[in-house]
Amino acid sequence: MKPALITRRIAILAFIGGLGGGLVFPILPALGLELGIPGFMVGLILSANRISRLIFNVPAGHIIGALGPRLTLGVALCIETIGVLSYSAALHFGHAAWWLLAGRALFGIGTAFLFVGAQAVVLSLSDKEDRGRKISTVRVAMSAAMPAGLVIGGVLADVFSDDVAFLTGAGITFAGALFAITFLPGQSGNVNIRSPGLRKHGKLSLLLRPSPTRPFLIAAWGFNMLIFLTVQGVLLATLVLLIQERQFHLFALQAPGTSGMVMAILIACSAIVAFYIGRAIDAADYRASLVIPALAVLALGFCTLALAQSSIWVMLLGAILIGISFNGVTLPMMALLGDATKPEQHGPAVGIYQFFGDIGGTIGPIAGIEAGTHIGLSALYLAIAVLISLAIPLTLWLRSYEKRLHQA
């Protein structure tokens, strides 16, 4: 089976598997309170998938090499299906909070294996000449799944019922599992992420051993945490507060609707630009070169949000700048991670990459809302811009180090 075809199929599965994550957000907060679940417990339920992912990301990186794409991704989507069905069970069997909590935790385990497995397989299917394009295909699918899930969940719940939305999500996810088992290869020559030598040395020890490429791994993990902390964490949690505070309205929508539209525009911009970034990665002599302007534009985007005091169009400009730039950080670093590791190391490397991202994504909403409440959203966004700017000198050093290794 051709690597390009496998990559496209994995992108489809990554999209399907991510839908359930977005599907619950228009439903669960209001549903939880309607069912008499305390607000703290509702928040814990919404965070449970990310907490379980923190636990299972690294093991998933090891297991993908043993099971191969077909079993890993197929089983991951089956676990997600059970998780989504648990949301429906909460409406029928009592003890709703525990059904919902268990469902979110199971869904997190499934997405850990799906996202880590999908990215590790694509790294192994690619080489230095086409790694950017293949990675961008899967990352765009992962990014687009959340807003698509938001739309599907919200529409089905409004037109039919919450239960119909949950059952539809479970059906789509299970269809994805059948697709994976039917159309993905097992462990084969096309997907070389296993090595007999790993039994003796262990995959994680191979990554942590001193080597000339270790700075690239550490940088990739750190930058992923930075993006999840700032964009996927703080911004996602506080954008609706910014819109509410400054009384911005888009198409006569209130704050929740306006924030949803702005986030959809941001994600759409990131998806469109990601395809061009993938080609630029493959054409660039040094991967880190692309990260430097992306960080500068990302910092400018947060500055623009901070200064958008009275104009929604200035705020939209800030969101667009963030949308077109954050994949310019994550995609080149993921490609650099693939260059810096052997095929048998891809699974563990991506597991740690996802682990650090989820740490940032877990801390970001909590710290963002707390800081925004105490120092104000403008000061918070300016502080984030400064933090991102401080990463630029590190990236300049990384590019210099990458250049020296190429010339050695």
Side-chain angles (χ1 to χ4, degrees):
M1 194 180 296
K2 293 182 179 180
L5 178 60
I6 300 173
T7 299
R8 287 194 291 272
R9 289 178 178 178
I10 287 174
I12 291 169
L13 293 173
F15 179 79
I16 290 172
L19 283 176
L23 182 140
V24 301
F25 275 94
I27 302 171
L28 276 189
L31 175 64
L33 297 175
E34 182 183 317
L35 293 171
I37 301 171
F40 171 79
M41 190 65 175
V42 173
L44 182 60
I45 288 166
L46 290 171
S47 301
N49 70 317
R50 201 175 288 277
I51 294 169
S52 61
R53 265 177 27 194
L54 280 172
I55 298 170
F56 283 91
N57 278 328
V58 176
H62 289 261
I63 290 172
I64 179 66
L67 298 183
R70 181 188 300 145
L71 274 179
T72 302
L73 272 60
V75 170
L77 286 160
C78 285
I79 294 171
E80 285 192 17
T81 301
I82 297 170
V84 180
L85 285 174
S86 297
Y87 309 153
S88 177
L91 302 176
H92 301 286
F93 298 115
H95 304 289
W98 298 108
W99 279 109
L100 292 171
L101 185 64
R104 288 292 284 169
L106 281 171
F107 192 85
I109 295 170
T111 53
F113 283 90
L114 177 69
F115 292 161
V116 171
Q119 292 173 99
V121 170
V122 170
L123 283 180
S124 297
L125 290 169
S126 63
D127 53 36
K128 192 171 176 64
E129 285 69 36
D130 66 357
R131 185 158 285 145
R133 281 166 289 175
K134 284 189 169 70
I135 291 168
S136 66
T137 300
V138 172
R139 296 286 291 193
V140 166
M142 290 167 59
S143 297
M146 172 66 83
L150 289 168
V151 172
I152 292 171
V155 170
L156 288 176
D158 280 347
V159 176
F160 299 102
S161 68
D162 295 342
D163 202 20
V164 168
F166 294 149
L167 292 174
T168 301
I172 293 171
T173 307
F174 186 65
L178 296 178
F179 182 88
I181 293 167
T182 305
F183 295 108
L184 285 185
Q187 187 62 261
S188 69
N190 288 95
V191 189
N192 179 27
I193 52 178
R194 178 170 59 185
S195 169
L198 295 179
R199 295 178 182 174
K200 179 178 178 182
H201 300 294
K203 298 177 184 177
L204 192 58
S205 65
L206 286 172
L207 296 176
L208 298 179
R209 242 180 235 170
S211 73
T213 59
R214 188 167 61 172
F216 300 137
L217 297 179
I218 295 170
W221 299 334
F223 276 112
N224 199 40
M225 181 175 175
L226 175 68
I227 294 302
F228 270 75
L229 175 72
T230 56
V231 180
Q232 309 274 4
V234 173
L235 184 62
L236 274 177
T238 60
L239 185 62
V240 66
L241 302 179
L242 177 77
I243 290 168
Q244 192 172 37
E245 175 187 288
R246 299 179 185 177
Q247 299 183 341
F248 290 149
H249 301 284
L250 196 62
F251 306 125
L253 294 169
Q254 297 304 308
T258 299
S259 67
M261 288 294 295
V262 173
M263 287 306 303
I265 292 168
L266 187 154
I267 295 297
C269 290
S270 74
I272 293 168
V273 171
F275 287 107
Y276 296 99
I277 293 172
R279 291 181 173 85
I281 291 169
D282 295 334
D285 293 328
Y286 308 111
R287 313 288 203 198
S289 299
L290 300 173
V291 180
I292 299 165
L295 286 170
V297 175
L298 185 60
L300 180 61
F302 275 100
C303 282
T304 305
L305 284 181
L307 299 174
Q309 296 293 334
S310 57
S311 172
I312 190 172
W313 303 111
V314 175
M315 186 204 67
L316 271 176
L317 174 62
I320 290 169
L321 289 172
I322 291 170
I324 65 176
S325 60
F326 76 86
N327 271 330
V329 178
T330 56
L331 293 179
M333 295 311 300
M334 173 64 84
L336 199 53
L337 181 146
D339 296 342
T341 50
K342 298 175 183 178
E344 64 269 18
Q345 299 171 325
H346 287 158
V350 173
I352 299 171
Y353 180 86
Q354 199 71 35
F355 174 80
F356 276 100
D358 282 333
I359 288 177
T362 302
I363 295 172
I366 300 169
I369 292 173
E370 188 70 16
T373 302
H374 285 85
I375 66 174
L377 293 172
S378 292
L380 172 63
Y381 291 153
L382 287 173
I384 290 173
V386 171
L387 176 64
I388 292 167
S389 299
L390 290 175
I392 293 176
L394 174 61
T395 313
L396 289 168
W397 176 87
L398 194 68
R399 182 193 179 280
S400 174
Y401 185 76
E402 186 183 3
K403 186 176 180 179
R404 289 201 305 273
L405 281 188
H406 276 266
Q407 293 174 347

